[in-house]
Amino acid sequence: LLEPLDDGAVEGQFDAILGPLIWDLGHIGNAEELWLLRALDGRGSRRPDLDRLYNPLVQPRSARGGLVLPRRRETERYVDSIRHDVLELLAKLDLNDSNRLLRDGYIYHMILQHEAQHQETILQSLDLRQNGRPYPPALRQKLPAPGVVDDEERVLVAGGVCTIGTVDTGHAYDNERPRHEVEIPAFQMDRFPVTCRRWLEFMEDGGYRRQELWSRPGREWLAASRCHAPQGWLWAGADGWVLRRFGHIHPIDPRTPVQHVCFWEAQAFANWAGARLPAEEQWEKAASWDPEAGRARLFPWGDDPPTPCHANLDHAGWGPAPVGSYPLGASAYGIEQLVGDVYQWTASEFRPYAGFSAFPYAEYSKVFFRRGYMVLRGASWAIRPIVSRNSYRNWDLPQRRQIFVGVRLVWDAH
Ligand code: AVJ
Ligand code: FE
């Protein structure tokens, strides 16, 4: 991801809400050292001076641009030498060990997911960047051809008991446990994520001006940010709205899921549509529950890991794919593009499930509970498959829109 960029782009900070790219790179290596060499093998810190610099709780994102960090070459040498030692140690270890960190390969999966999450952060920065050369990889893979669909179709999810969360100990984060039963009354859900076509209709109907559609904090965000379209949408006069993505200008494909809207915008859109944002349990039931088998699936389509036919993941599209592109990725209820394309905002604040216990460290989830973070569900086109599953919980502050997030609505069933 960093290779096409010059040193100035890698070492500089584009935006106060994200650190410089070089911080993410060094932090990826430092986390790998901490867990895969120090915690697993009892080694001492290789560079004690770096541990504080790359500790995210000591250095909030806004402060990272002001740090004196190792330069690019030195950082690359550091992460390469960590990776070298990690692979050497891995060849000697027994993953069936009774050590809970090692069992089922957990700590390796955690560190792989951690790197993928920071790759996504790097992509968020590159997408936000306004000056600088367009980022080169505009499109890497050919996506499946979309079918013709009704982007406002709704699906009924019958009421009843289902399970939420997971018992998986190989990949899932602590916040996805314990698995528990929940009774969820019937509801209707969008078959697809909200498209740019629907979002444009909201804008043309005065969505960003009609105060009654916005919550009080939403109105405050609207007044302070002066936003009147999703991040990256530019008014091009006679050409209407166009999209700036990684510095490239594109026409807006009305069939693609809207992305880069904050929670307050998602909420106003839901009010405009006479709908609501899903509670995270509603989202998970729609994605995972198989009513015939009476059990939860790992992915919407079943238990097999994602392929490029199931979902737009793994940087495949460099943006969301048109709705109707992934019929093979439908959940048991027939709801599509739950995983892949864009995360979806939920109405739920990030909290622990009853019986939560932090593992392997409190700084992953626990310090973020009940701090005003909202839960995002699903997986974006910018995340790796190893971080995509029905029980995965992502979160961010309600005013954030640099994330690859969109909207999916629910309605009462009648
Ligand atoms: C779960 C994506 C919100 O990026 O802040 C990375 C993941 N945690 N390093 C984040 C994470 C520690 C986290 N999110
Ligand atoms: Fe991290």
Side-chain angles (χ1 to χ4, degrees):
L1 294 178
L2 300 185
E3 206 171 63
L5 299 167
D6 60 30
D7 291 357
V10 173
E11 293 171 353
Q13 187 167 21
F14 311 139
D15 197 289
I17 62 164
L18 297 163
L21 305 180
I22 192 75
W23 187 90
D24 289 275
L25 179 64
H27 167 77
I28 286 169
N30 190 245
E32 191 169 318
E33 181 195 350
L34 187 63
W35 289 104
L36 301 187
L37 297 177
R38 294 164 63 185
L40 271 190
D41 204 37
R43 301 186 195 181
S45 171
R46 175 151 334 166
R47 291 279 307 268
D49 58 316
L50 298 185
D51 296 338
R52 247 185 96 77
L53 286 176
Y54 294 131
N55 182 332
L57 296 183
V58 177
Q59 318 293 353
R61 284 173 171 182
S62 55
R64 292 172 196 168
L67 298 173
V68 181
L69 297 168
R71 302 290 304 267
R72 183 183 194 173
R73 295 288 160 262
E74 189 187 342
T75 311
E76 286 169 351
R77 273 199 301 275
Y78 169 68
V79 302
D80 286 349
S81 80
I82 297 291
R83 177 65 50 92
H84 173 268
D85 290 8
V86 160
L87 294 179
E88 216 171 52
L89 179 64
L90 173 59
K92 292 190 255 168
L93 284 178
D94 176 8
L95 299 184
N96 297 315
D97 199 280
S98 60
N99 175 353
R100 195 174 163 205
L101 275 184
L102 266 184
R103 202 190 313 151
D104 303 324
Y106 179 75
I107 199 64
Y108 287 94
H109 296 147
M110 188 186 91
I111 286 299
L112 283 166
Q113 292 183 71
H114 182 256
E115 178 165 342
Q117 288 170 322
H118 281 276
Q119 289 178 356
E120 192 175 34
T121 312
I122 288 170
L123 288 172
Q124 292 167 9
S125 291
L126 291 168
D127 203 4
L128 260 183
R129 188 162 71 133
Q130 303 213 6
N131 29 39
R133 267 178 283 139
Y135 187 68
L139 198 71
R140 193 188 281 172
Q141 287 179 32
K142 197 170 178 302
L143 300 180
V148 177
V149 295
D150 169 6
D151 69 354
E152 291 192 58
E153 192 181 329
R154 301 178 196 173
V155 173
L156 178 72
V157 176
V161 170
C162 66
T163 61
I164 297 295
T166 184
V167 293
D168 166 66
T169 53
H171 289 83
Y173 284 108
D174 54 4
N175 64 56
E176 298 165 55
R177 291 187 291 272
R179 186 168 74 183
H180 53 286
E181 282 197 348
V182 177
E183 159 113 50
I184 298 178
F187 62 94
Q188 291 185 300
M189 184 179 248
D190 275 332
R191 182 174 161 201
F192 302 107
V194 169
T195 55
C196 292
R197 185 198 69 77
R198 289 168 74 187
W199 199 270
L200 207 55
E201 216 171 77
F202 165 70
M203 285 165 55
E204 285 167 353
D205 198 34
Y208 282 86
R209 292 189 303 272
R210 287 167 50 186
Q211 300 291 308
E212 78 277 11
L213 298 176
W214 296 72
S215 62
R216 206 150 75 91
R219 283 196 289 271
E220 283 162 18
W221 174 82
L222 198 58
S225 71
R226 309 177 69 165
C227 288
H228 51 276
Q231 177 194 304
W233 287 38
L234 306 176
W235 179 248
D239 288 339
W241 292 97
V242 295
L243 205 59
R244 186 186 52 229
R245 176 180 289 169
F246 295 98
H248 303 265
I249 302 294
H250 296 277
I252 295 178
D253 183 338
R255 304 167 304 169
T256 53
V258 71
Q259 95 177 333
H260 290 317
V261 293
C262 75
F263 174 82
W264 306 124
E265 290 169 284
Q267 202 184 41
F269 181 89
N271 289 337
W272 172 78
R276 279 189 309 277
L277 299 176
E280 65 168 320
E281 290 83 4
Q282 288 179 312
W283 190 99
E284 188 166 330
K285 179 178 182 179
S288 73
W289 195 243
D290 178 343
E292 266 166 43
R295 64 170 196 93
R297 300 171 170 183
L298 294 178
F299 305 97
W301 53 87
D303 292 334
D304 296 333
T307 71
C309 302
H310 288 119
N312 178 15
L313 294 164
D314 217 13
H315 311 181
W318 285 85
V323 295
S325 295
Y326 294 97
L328 296 178
S331 75
Y333 294 104
I335 300 173
E336 298 182 28
Q337 286 163 285
L338 285 152
V339 161
D341 297 295
V342 285
Y343 296 103
Q344 297 129 65
W345 285 108
T346 73
S348 306
E349 196 193 344
F350 188 47
R351 291 174 184 193
Y353 295 156
F356 167 86
S357 91
F359 176 78
Y361 67 122
E363 291 74 18
Y364 183 78
S365 312
K366 196 172 174 217
V367 301
F368 295 99
F369 290 144
R370 301 180 210 277
R371 294 279 188 281
Y373 290 86
M374 303 306 293
V375 173
L376 318 169
R377 287 304 202 108
S380 81
W381 62 265
I383 197 70
R384 302 296 185 186
I386 195 170
V387 199
S388 64
R389 54 187 170 267
N390 288 332
S391 59
Y392 179 68
R393 305 168 77 198
N394 197 352
W395 64 90
D396 213 328
L397 295 171
Q399 69 271 27
R400 292 287 185 252
R401 45 189 221 158
Q402 86 289 354
I403 21 180
F404 304 106
V405 62
V407 186
R408 186 186 301 265
L409 301 178
V410 292
W411 288 261
D412 291 336
H414 34 242

